[in-house]
Amino acid sequence: MKKALYAVLILVGLVIAAVIALPFLIPAERLKEELILAVGDATGRTLSIDGELGVSFFPTLGLTASKVSLSNSPQSSKPNMASIDDLTVALNLMPLLSGNVSVDKFILTKPVISLEVDKNGKKNWEFETAAKEEAPKESDATSSDGGSGLGISDLNLGDVRIVDGAISYIDAQNNVTHEVTNANLTLDLRGLDQPFKTEGSADWQGETITLNTEVGALRALLENKSTSVAANVSSTKVTLDFNGEVAKLDPLAVGGKVNLAIPSLKDLTAWVGSPMEAREGTFGPVSIEGNVAVKGTTYSFSDAKMAFDQITGTGSFSADTGGAVPMLTGILDIPALDVNPYLPEGTGEASKPAESAEKPINSDEKWDSTPIDLSGLKAVNADLKLKVQKILVQKVKIDSSQVFANLKNGVLNLRLGELALYEGKGTGEVVLDASSSVAKLSESFNLEGLQLLPFLTDAADFDKLEGTGRFDFAITTSGQSQKDMVEKLNGKGSFLFNDGAINGINLAAMARNVTSAFTDSGGAQKTDFAEFSGSYTITNGLVENSDLKLLNPFIRVTGKGTANMPPKTVDYRVEPKVTASTEGQGGKDAGGLMIPILITGSWEDPKFAPDLAGTIGNVADPKALKENLENVSKEKLKEQLGGGDIKDTLKKGLGGFLGKQ
């Protein structure tokens, strides 16, 4: 027995002695040559080792090399795809006898990797002569290594580091360039069933980014089993934390809690190369927290709490990337939404239209003829619901509102399921079809019960109308620009105002004296009405109305005419008629001279003038009226009309009423 034991010890001693002597028996230059040939055969590239090469076999199986490089593809702009100042690899030899791999050292000092895509889309990391490995069969997924799939029973990492590395990426096809410098990475693994930790940092775009991860058990991942996962990405521009678990790697199933913090969205977009213009104090801090899950091609975000500037909200979202285009679904609830800080500069009560520095090719164009790009509507499908308790747009205050948005194959459907504002309510729908080269648009809205005075004051600084109002309209159009859509606009609508008043003008007094209709004679000028209504049709941008009606105890007003949207012109006739009694709408028409008003010209500078010809044609005895007018001197007529030129009087009075000078 002793002789046998001695024989084994002698044999082991001889093996150890041989391993120790092996480096002295095989020259390092011979190993270098064989290594260069092997890499060349596998990649078609040239491996260069311009520094020293050292090999050890005991007590660690090791390799050291300096000034190592791998040549690039012929079409690349840089000579080397990869280079390393110093490489150190050392494996503990004895654990290998039991199937365990113990890495004593693996250190890459100043590795530089250059990734490139040329103008034809060819990638420099694709090796033409590299042998294609056959995909492992399902039966080979597990083996006697304990199921790790690595051919080993355990793995231990000692000093494993990347020191001061750099990675560059050049995409000549899309003109994209990125460069990461000062890259450092440390791996910590004491066994396949122990936590696997990484700590890293790198500089990109002038900022240092840190990345730390921890996997509960690496063996569980390799065996496609569940394990805990934690990750943290941090920089001065953004911080992201994730704590959860990986249920499977194939197909991917991940779930956990995520927390995202962005100190300034404006600074972040500028950092990543997409700067935005924004008002001071907007597009600042963003925070998002909630539960994230990945299951195959579906990504979900639930129980989310979000904050953007002063806006907060809660909701849930999901995205399925398994189809031809991503499918988004979600619900978002926002307590209060003030959009004023995000409106263009100059938008507001005191603003005036700014003249564009670049005028259209045709300076006479009334509408923008620039093609509208709606191709983005085809990039995704969506089914979203937005609920907002309060909305502020300039001065307009909107209470509880619900918007349903459905986007499919370039067709966007927005449905306003609930809208509460100024004691009224409304519904509406907008359909924008961008599935073809010519966009189609349809809109329909119904608002009722609105208190007109506060609504119009906030919406248009117009305080001349009060009462309870109802609006409804339905329109359709199509085109490739704003100009096209105005010229092809069709539809209809109506309005009805009850129990209100027109402030600043007394239409009954106008029948007696034009000037006094706009001036204060012991009290504010006002025309009360029981009803003020009308309807209209739109045909290729021409708005027509023929039934304008205002009912007042002393006066009845009717009107008809057109507003032509493409050239922005108006041609309208307002006709006030005095009633004979205070019984109101049912009174008989009284006799006497009544002067209808014509409103014509451009929207920017409308003209107001009396329709004397129409007046003569509407009286019972136009011949007698004509003779009577011919016998009245101009001075007398001016006196009856309050003095001054009647056209100027009308223009000044109505212009002041409408807010124009």
Side-chain angles (χ1 to χ4, degrees):
M1 189 67 179
K2 288 184 178 180
K3 290 182 179 180
L5 180 60
Y6 287 145
V8 170
L9 291 175
I10 292 171
L11 180 61
V12 170
L14 290 173
V15 170
I16 293 174
V19 168
I20 295 173
L22 190 60
F24 301 98
L25 300 177
I26 302 177
E29 286 299 320
R30 175 67 182 277
L31 290 175
K32 181 189 295 187
E33 292 173 1
E34 293 296 331
L35 188 59
I36 290 173
L37 287 174
V39 171
D41 291 340
T43 65
R45 309 282 178 84
T46 300
L47 175 68
S48 299
I49 304 176
D50 298 327
E52 295 183 356
L53 175 68
V55 179
S56 65
F57 289 90
F58 192 84
T60 61
L61 184 62
L63 173 70
T64 60
S66 61
K67 301 186 183 306
V68 181
S69 63
L70 179 67
S71 67
N72 219 330
S73 59
Q75 71 274 9
S76 298
S77 62
K78 298 181 179 181
N80 294 324
M81 176 184 168
S83 64
I84 304 171
D85 273 14
D86 291 294
L87 167 66
T88 301
V89 180
L91 298 178
N92 291 313
L93 189 60
M94 298 307 294
L96 289 175
L97 300 177
S98 60
N100 298 333
V101 175
S102 176
V103 179
D104 183 56
K105 289 182 180 180
F106 187 93
I107 304 172
L108 301 179
T109 303
K110 292 188 176 181
V112 177
I113 299 174
S114 301
L115 305 177
E116 292 189 52
V117 180
D118 66 15
K119 293 183 178 180
N120 297 319
K122 184 174 177 57
K123 305 173 180 64
N124 73 331
W125 58 88
E126 294 178 345
F127 305 115
E128 294 181 0
T129 60
K132 295 183 179 179
E133 297 182 1
E134 184 179 349
K137 297 180 181 179
E138 189 173 338
S139 59
D140 296 334
T142 58
S143 59
S144 59
D145 58 18
S148 70
L150 296 176
I152 59 175
S153 59
D154 208 352
L155 175 64
N156 185 290
L157 301 181
D159 186 6
V160 178
R161 290 176 290 142
I162 294 176
V163 180
D164 198 16
I167 302 174
S168 64
Y169 175 78
I170 300 174
D171 185 347
Q173 197 172 39
N174 298 300
N175 195 29
V176 174
T177 301
H178 293 292
E179 186 174 13
V180 175
T181 59
N182 297 324
N184 295 278
L185 177 65
T186 301
L187 306 184
D188 183 8
L189 178 65
R190 301 305 175 186
L192 289 177
D193 297 311
Q194 301 299 316
F196 175 43
K197 301 177 182 180
T198 69
E199 294 183 2
S201 65
D203 291 347
W204 181 71
Q205 298 283 73
E207 292 285 338
T208 298
I209 306 168
T210 62
L211 170 63
N212 300 319
T213 66
E214 181 174 340
V215 176
L218 187 58
R219 191 190 301 275
L221 284 183
L222 297 173
E223 296 177 355
N224 212 29
K225 295 179 180 179
S226 175
T227 187
S228 62
V229 175
N232 171 268
V233 180
S234 180
S235 74
T236 60
K237 304 297 183 184
V238 60
T239 300
L240 175 66
D241 286 300
F242 174 79
N243 282 283
E245 70 171 13
V246 176
K248 290 182 179 181
L249 282 180
D250 186 20
L252 183 62
V254 180
K257 190 173 183 62
V258 67
N259 192 315
L260 173 68
I262 301 172
S264 171
L265 184 60
K266 183 164 55 178
D267 291 347
L268 177 64
T269 58
W271 179 50
V272 299
S274 300
M276 64 167 62
E277 293 186 7
R279 290 186 182 182
E280 189 70 26
T282 63
F283 292 93
V286 175
S287 65
I288 301 175
E289 63 177 83
N291 297 318
V292 66
V294 180
K295 190 173 183 181
T297 60
T298 301
Y299 302 80
S300 62
F301 192 42
S302 58
D303 299 326
K305 296 180 180 179
M306 293 159 282
F308 169 55
D309 290 342
Q310 302 301 315
I311 303 170
T312 61
T314 58
S316 298
F317 306 91
S318 68
D320 187 351
T321 61
V325 297
M327 175 65 190
L328 308 179
T329 58
I331 299 175
L332 180 60
D333 193 336
I334 299 176
L337 177 60
D338 181 359
V339 303
N340 289 328
Y342 310 98
L343 295 177
E345 289 284 0
T347 302
E349 57 176 322
S351 65
K352 294 183 179 180
E355 295 188 10
S356 175
E358 297 182 5
K359 294 189 176 181
I361 296 175
N362 182 359
S363 60
D364 294 330
E365 285 187 356
K366 302 294 184 180
W367 303 93
D368 191 355
S369 58
T370 304
I372 301 173
D373 184 7
L374 299 173
S375 58
L377 294 180
K378 301 177 186 177
V380 67
N381 293 330
D383 191 3
L384 307 171
K385 178 182 177 181
L386 172 65
K387 185 175 182 180
V388 185
Q389 301 301 323
K390 292 182 179 180
I391 304 176
L392 181 63
V393 183
Q394 294 186 20
K395 294 182 179 179
V396 177
K397 308 172 193 69
I398 303 174
D399 295 326
S400 180
S401 303
Q402 287 188 3
V403 179
F404 301 87
N406 181 272
L407 176 61
K408 187 174 183 180
N409 300 328
V411 180
L412 174 63
N413 186 301
L414 293 175
R415 182 169 60 87
L416 191 63
E418 174 187 328
L419 176 65
L421 71 167
Y422 297 92
E423 302 182 32
K425 60 182 180 179
T427 58
E429 185 174 21
V430 177
V431 179
L432 177 58
D433 185 349
S435 59
S436 63
S437 59
V438 179
K440 299 176 182 178
L441 175 67
S442 65
E443 298 182 18
S444 61
F445 281 88
N446 179 277
L447 302 173
E448 59 183 20
L450 270 70
Q451 294 304 305
L452 297 173
L453 183 59
F455 172 64
L456 293 176
T457 299
D458 288 347
D461 284 331
F462 186 76
D463 59 359
K464 306 297 185 182
L465 192 61
E466 57 183 88
T468 302
R470 175 180 65 80
F471 304 85
D472 65 79
F473 69 87
I475 59 172
T476 62
T477 189
S478 61
Q480 295 179 312
S481 67
Q482 182 190 62
K483 183 174 181 290
D484 291 345
M485 291 189 173
V486 170
E487 292 174 348
K488 296 178 182 179
L489 185 64
N490 294 279
K492 62 181 180 178
S494 65
F495 67 90
L496 172 63
F497 306 153
N498 294 116
D499 302 324
I502 302 175
N503 299 318
I505 185 172
N506 189 331
L507 294 176
M510 181 183 289
R512 298 183 293 273
N513 188 304
V514 174
T515 302
S516 65
F518 303 99
T519 60
D520 189 352
S521 56
Q525 296 297 320
K526 192 175 189 179
T527 301
D528 295 317
F529 60 80
E531 177 184 323
F532 184 21
S533 63
S535 63
Y536 57 89
T537 60
I538 308 174
T539 306
N540 294 329
L542 180 66
V543 184
E544 295 184 87
N545 162 258
S546 60
D547 61 355
L548 182 70
K549 178 174 61 176
L550 183 145
L551 301 179
N552 169 275
F554 295 98
I555 193 169
R556 180 177 300 168
V557 179
T558 59
K560 62 180 180 179
T562 62
N564 201 349
M565 297 180 67
K568 294 186 178 181
T569 59
V570 62
D571 184 3
Y572 204 82
R573 185 176 190 268
V574 179
E575 184 177 285
K577 294 183 180 180
V578 176
T579 58
S581 69
T582 60
E583 296 177 2
Q585 296 83 276
K588 297 179 180 180
D589 290 346
L593 178 62
M594 190 60 207
I595 304 176
I597 302 166
L598 293 178
I599 306 173
T600 59
S602 67
W603 293 3
E604 294 84 0
D605 187 23
K607 310 298 182 185
F608 303 94
D611 184 10
L612 296 177
T615 301
I616 295 174
N618 288 330
V619 298
D621 190 352
K623 182 179 179 181
L625 177 60
K626 182 176 181 295
E627 293 175 352
N628 185 43
L629 287 173
E630 290 175 347
N631 293 329
V632 178
S633 66
K634 293 182 180 179
E635 290 75 13
K636 187 65 176 177
L637 182 58
K638 291 181 181 179
E639 181 182 341
Q640 293 296 319
L641 294 174
D645 184 85
I646 186 170
K647 292 184 179 181
D648 291 340
T649 302
L650 283 169
K651 181 176 181 180
K652 181 178 179 181
L654 287 175
F657 166 71
L658 295 173
K660 300 178 68 68
Q661 298 299 326

